[in-house]
mmCIF file of all heavy atoms in Angstrom:
data_model
loop_
_atom_site.group_PDB
_atom_site.id
_atom_site.type_symbol
_atom_site.label_atom_id
_atom_site.label_comp_id
_atom_site.label_asym_id
_atom_site.label_seq_id
_atom_site.Cartn_x
_atom_site.Cartn_y
_atom_site.Cartn_z
ATOM 1 N N CYS A 300 -5.087 10.985 4.777
ATOM 2 C CA CYS A 300 -3.817 10.510 5.332
ATOM 3 C C CYS A 300 -2.709 10.953 4.392
ATOM 4 O O CYS A 300 -2.729 10.635 3.197
ATOM 5 C CB CYS A 300 -3.823 8.991 5.474
ATOM 6 S SG CYS A 300 -2.334 8.329 6.274
ATOM 7 N N GLY A 301 -1.732 11.695 4.941
ATOM 8 C CA GLY A 301 -0.707 12.249 4.077
ATOM 9 C C GLY A 301 -1.355 13.190 3.071
ATOM 10 O O GLY A 301 -2.153 14.046 3.410
ATOM 11 N N GLY A 302 -1.048 12.990 1.824
ATOM 12 C CA GLY A 302 -1.648 13.827 0.790
ATOM 13 C C GLY A 302 -2.808 13.175 0.076
ATOM 14 O O GLY A 302 -3.193 13.622 -1.012
ATOM 15 N N VAL A 303 -3.378 12.120 0.658
ATOM 16 C CA VAL A 303 -4.418 11.346 -0.016
ATOM 17 C C VAL A 303 -5.739 11.463 0.737
ATOM 18 O O VAL A 303 -5.778 11.367 1.964
ATOM 19 C CB VAL A 303 -4.007 9.865 -0.131
ATOM 20 C CG1 VAL A 303 -5.062 9.076 -0.897
ATOM 21 C CG2 VAL A 303 -2.650 9.726 -0.808
ATOM 22 N N ARG A 304 -6.813 11.654 -0.007
ATOM 23 C CA ARG A 304 -8.157 11.711 0.562
ATOM 24 C C ARG A 304 -8.979 10.545 -0.001
ATOM 25 O O ARG A 304 -8.948 10.266 -1.197
ATOM 26 C CB ARG A 304 -8.832 13.024 0.193
ATOM 27 C CG ARG A 304 -10.265 13.184 0.755
ATOM 28 C CD ARG A 304 -10.882 14.495 0.248
ATOM 29 N NE ARG A 304 -10.082 15.640 0.654
ATOM 30 C CZ ARG A 304 -10.242 16.303 1.802
ATOM 31 N NH1 ARG A 304 -11.190 15.927 2.644
ATOM 32 N NH2 ARG A 304 -9.480 17.336 2.095
ATOM 33 N N ALA A 305 -9.726 9.866 0.889
ATOM 34 C CA ALA A 305 -10.614 8.785 0.471
ATOM 35 C C ALA A 305 -12.025 9.098 0.929
ATOM 36 O O ALA A 305 -12.241 9.600 2.032
ATOM 37 C CB ALA A 305 -10.157 7.451 1.062
ATOM 38 N N SER A 306 -12.982 8.787 0.084
ATOM 39 C CA SER A 306 -14.384 9.024 0.410
ATOM 40 C C SER A 306 -15.227 7.972 -0.276
ATOM 41 O O SER A 306 -14.722 7.135 -1.032
ATOM 42 C CB SER A 306 -14.808 10.435 -0.031
ATOM 43 O OG SER A 306 -14.619 10.593 -1.430
ATOM 44 N N VAL A 307 -16.533 8.008 0.006
ATOM 45 C CA VAL A 307 -17.478 7.091 -0.631
ATOM 46 C C VAL A 307 -18.458 7.903 -1.449
ATOM 47 O O VAL A 307 -19.059 8.871 -0.958
ATOM 48 C CB VAL A 307 -18.229 6.255 0.423
ATOM 49 C CG1 VAL A 307 -19.237 5.327 -0.257
ATOM 50 C CG2 VAL A 307 -17.254 5.438 1.263
ATOM 51 N N SER A 308 -18.619 7.505 -2.701
ATOM 52 C CA SER A 308 -19.554 8.194 -3.593
ATOM 53 C C SER A 308 -20.280 7.148 -4.437
ATOM 54 O O SER A 308 -19.632 6.334 -5.106
ATOM 55 C CB SER A 308 -18.813 9.173 -4.496
ATOM 56 O OG SER A 308 -19.697 9.803 -5.406
ATOM 57 N N GLY A 309 -21.595 7.161 -4.367
ATOM 58 C CA GLY A 309 -22.367 6.207 -5.154
ATOM 59 C C GLY A 309 -22.049 4.755 -4.832
ATOM 60 O O GLY A 309 -22.091 3.905 -5.725
ATOM 61 N N GLY A 310 -21.722 4.496 -3.568
ATOM 62 C CA GLY A 310 -21.420 3.129 -3.162
ATOM 63 C C GLY A 310 -20.033 2.659 -3.517
ATOM 64 O O GLY A 310 -19.711 1.471 -3.338
ATOM 65 N N GLU A 311 -19.175 3.572 -4.009
ATOM 66 C CA GLU A 311 -17.809 3.208 -4.382
ATOM 67 C C GLU A 311 -16.799 4.035 -3.596
ATOM 68 O O GLU A 311 -17.064 5.201 -3.266
ATOM 69 C CB GLU A 311 -17.569 3.445 -5.879
ATOM 70 C CG GLU A 311 -18.346 2.524 -6.792
ATOM 71 C CD GLU A 311 -17.948 2.717 -8.256
ATOM 72 O OE1 GLU A 311 -17.441 3.819 -8.591
ATOM 73 O OE2 GLU A 311 -18.139 1.785 -9.028
ATOM 74 N N LEU A 312 -15.656 3.449 -3.311
ATOM 75 C CA LEU A 312 -14.551 4.177 -2.698
ATOM 76 C C LEU A 312 -13.861 5.016 -3.760
ATOM 77 O O LEU A 312 -13.594 4.541 -4.874
ATOM 78 C CB LEU A 312 -13.549 3.210 -2.068
ATOM 79 C CG LEU A 312 -13.993 2.536 -0.773
ATOM 80 C CD1 LEU A 312 -13.033 1.411 -0.399
ATOM 81 C CD2 LEU A 312 -14.079 3.554 0.364
ATOM 82 N N VAL A 313 -13.561 6.269 -3.401
ATOM 83 C CA VAL A 313 -12.943 7.209 -4.332
ATOM 84 C C VAL A 313 -11.680 7.755 -3.696
ATOM 85 O O VAL A 313 -11.678 8.137 -2.514
ATOM 86 C CB VAL A 313 -13.907 8.366 -4.667
ATOM 87 C CG1 VAL A 313 -13.231 9.372 -5.590
ATOM 88 C CG2 VAL A 313 -15.185 7.824 -5.293
ATOM 89 N N LEU A 314 -10.608 7.825 -4.465
ATOM 90 C CA LEU A 314 -9.335 8.370 -4.001
ATOM 91 C C LEU A 314 -9.055 9.687 -4.685
ATOM 92 O O LEU A 314 -9.297 9.843 -5.891
ATOM 93 C CB LEU A 314 -8.190 7.399 -4.307
ATOM 94 C CG LEU A 314 -8.002 6.221 -3.371
ATOM 95 C CD1 LEU A 314 -6.936 5.283 -3.926
ATOM 96 C CD2 LEU A 314 -7.621 6.679 -1.977
ATOM 97 N N ASP A 315 -8.529 10.635 -3.928
ATOM 98 C CA ASP A 315 -8.127 11.927 -4.478
ATOM 99 C C ASP A 315 -6.718 12.207 -3.981
ATOM 100 O O ASP A 315 -6.496 12.378 -2.778
ATOM 101 C CB ASP A 315 -9.073 13.032 -4.021
ATOM 102 C CG ASP A 315 -8.690 14.397 -4.587
ATOM 103 O OD1 ASP A 315 -7.974 14.429 -5.615
ATOM 104 O OD2 ASP A 315 -9.093 15.410 -4.002
ATOM 105 N N GLY A 316 -5.758 12.219 -4.893
ATOM 106 C CA GLY A 316 -4.374 12.473 -4.493
ATOM 107 C C GLY A 316 -3.414 11.751 -5.412
ATOM 108 O O GLY A 316 -3.818 11.000 -6.305
ATOM 109 N N PRO A 317 -2.106 11.959 -5.204
ATOM 110 C CA PRO A 317 -1.077 11.380 -6.085
ATOM 111 C C PRO A 317 -0.831 9.907 -5.756
ATOM 112 O O PRO A 317 0.132 9.551 -5.087
ATOM 113 C CB PRO A 317 0.148 12.237 -5.761
ATOM 114 C CG PRO A 317 -0.046 12.625 -4.325
ATOM 115 C CD PRO A 317 -1.528 12.798 -4.146
ATOM 116 N N VAL A 318 -1.708 9.038 -6.274
ATOM 117 C CA VAL A 318 -1.631 7.638 -5.884
ATOM 118 C C VAL A 318 -1.527 6.682 -7.064
ATOM 119 O O VAL A 318 -1.605 5.475 -6.884
ATOM 120 C CB VAL A 318 -2.860 7.245 -5.031
ATOM 121 C CG1 VAL A 318 -2.851 7.995 -3.715
ATOM 122 C CG2 VAL A 318 -4.154 7.492 -5.780
ATOM 123 N N GLU A 319 -1.379 7.175 -8.267
ATOM 124 C CA GLU A 319 -1.311 6.263 -9.406
ATOM 125 C C GLU A 319 -0.094 5.348 -9.280
ATOM 126 O O GLU A 319 1.026 5.803 -9.042
ATOM 127 C CB GLU A 319 -1.226 7.044 -10.732
ATOM 128 C CG GLU A 319 -2.407 7.964 -10.969
ATOM 129 C CD GLU A 319 -3.719 7.218 -11.163
ATOM 130 O OE1 GLU A 319 -3.682 5.994 -11.336
ATOM 131 O OE2 GLU A 319 -4.771 7.878 -11.130
ATOM 132 N N ALA A 320 -0.313 4.050 -9.419
ATOM 133 C CA ALA A 320 0.780 3.091 -9.313
ATOM 134 C C ALA A 320 1.341 2.790 -10.696
ATOM 135 O O ALA A 320 0.609 2.675 -11.670
ATOM 136 C CB ALA A 320 0.283 1.801 -8.661
#
Side-chain angles (χ1 to χ4, degrees):
C300 184
V303 183
R304 180 184 301 271
S306 59
V307 179
S308 177
E311 292 186 336
L312 287 169
V313 178
L314 280 173
D315 180 21
V318 295
E319 301 294 348

